[in-house]
Amino acid sequence: MTLPQTQPAAHQIGAHWTHQDGEHATLTITLCHACSGRWFPPRDTCSTCASSDVENITSHTRGSVYASSVVRIAPRGFQAPYVLAYVDISGVRLLAHSPSSDRALAPGTPVELTVARIADTPEGAVTSYVVTALDDQHTTTGEQ
């Protein structure tokens, strides 16, 4: 007797900080009222001034690339090559995958935050917040 095959549940990195509305995504970031510092992932105490006068706010859906690199040797479950980019969104700098490109993104490239699959493991797909270049040309640095 063959049992019906079920799809394994997806595992989402940062799921409790990520908010998805259709194709758009935002993140929860922390704003410190004492020093105006901003943090991602969110925290209860400001890492700059140690104030606990903080508030969680929602990021914008768009930002820009600070720097990026192409990963050519991937850990198990990840499919190389892929792009990792430091991205500035709503006053925080975060590291995100960019699955829409296999070429490094130039600094200043406008990107949009979404959620997508970044890896496959024996337990199922792994998803996370990712960034996608907003222009069709995927402004690149020339690094392949």
Side-chain angles (χ1 to χ4, degrees), residues 23-113:
E23 294 182 15
H24 302 285
T26 58
L27 301 171
T28 299
I29 60 177
T30 299
L31 168 65
C32 176
H33 291 289
C35 74
S36 301
R38 292 177 181 227
W39 302 99
F40 179 79
R43 53 196 67 188
D44 295 331
T45 303
C46 178
S47 294
T48 298
C49 69
S51 173
S52 59
D53 184 14
V54 296
E55 173 187 13
N56 286 336
I57 60 175
T58 301
S59 74
H60 294 289
T61 60
R62 294 181 175 184
S64 64
V65 172
Y66 173 76
S68 71
S69 183
V70 178
V71 177
R72 301 206 179 280
I73 301 172
R76 187 174 48 181
F78 290 78
Q79 181 69 43
Y82 62 89
V83 174
L84 285 178
Y86 278 106
V87 177
D88 295 329
I89 295 178
S90 299
V92 296
R93 181 166 292 153
L94 57 103
L95 183 64
H97 284 248
S98 181
S100 62
S101 178
D102 61 356
R103 299 179 67 135
L105 300 171
T109 300
V111 292
E112 182 158 37
L113 196 61

